[in-house]
Amino acid sequence: MPYLEGERTPNRPDATGSFHGLRLVTATPQHVARAAVEGMLCGLADGLDALVAQGAEVGRLLLIGGGARSEAVRQLAPTVFGRPVEVPPPGEYVADGAARQAAWALAGSTEPPAWTGGDGGETLTVDGAPAPVVREQYAAVRDLG
């Protein structure tokens, strides 16, 4: 569980981080590092699932920020999400998105402004089968603490 400072989605402000199912063979630094990345990605996948459950249509996934620079995140993200992930050229996408959302709210329009940013990067595809086992293992311990 990657909740080192609580969690916002799901709303668990007092949640703590934990490792479950460690054994001597799975407690190598490589296994622990992979588990940390998979836990973080599973948390994001839960957020994506919550949006879809509310009727949001997912046209594409953009991997931005520090995670986009991590080779481990780049390799595992499409598998955990079960769909391709786009990595645009570096940019201020969070700030751009916030500005677009503010402009949309101020304009009072019923349609959001067109998103033209994030093009021209790399598309990461699922290498092999999606990772339902990782998501299932994560879900099994997610609500424990």
Side-chain angles (χ1 to χ4, degrees):
M1 299 282 82
Y3 307 149
L4 300 179
E5 292 292 331
E7 183 58 42
R8 294 176 295 204
T9 304
N11 186 22
R12 294 189 172 108
D14 298 318
T16 59
S18 61
F19 285 94
H20 295 267
L22 284 179
R23 298 180 182 274
L24 286 176
V25 71
T26 62
T28 67
Q30 294 85 355
H31 283 100
V32 171
R34 182 179 179 122
V37 171
E38 287 176 341
M40 179 269 301
L41 289 169
C42 284
L44 292 174
D46 278 355
L48 179 64
D49 291 347
L51 289 170
V52 170
Q54 293 297 313
E57 292 182 26
V58 179
R60 63 183 181 159
L61 293 179
L62 295 178
L63 184 61
I64 60 173
R69 293 188 302 269
S70 166
E71 188 60 33
V73 172
R74 292 166 65 95
Q75 286 180 6
L76 294 171
T79 303
V80 171
F81 292 129
R83 63 177 72 205
V85 175
E86 295 179 30
V87 183
E92 294 297 330
Y93 299 106
V94 174
D96 290 347
R100 288 173 193 269
Q101 188 173 16
W104 180 23
L106 288 172
S109 172
T110 58
E111 292 295 318
W115 175 269
T116 57
D119 297 327
E122 176 184 9
T123 299
L124 309 172
T125 57
V126 178
D127 185 19
V133 172
V134 170
R135 295 287 311 276
E136 289 167 8
Q137 290 171 338
Y138 178 86
V141 296
R142 173 185 54 219
D143 299 327
L144 295 177

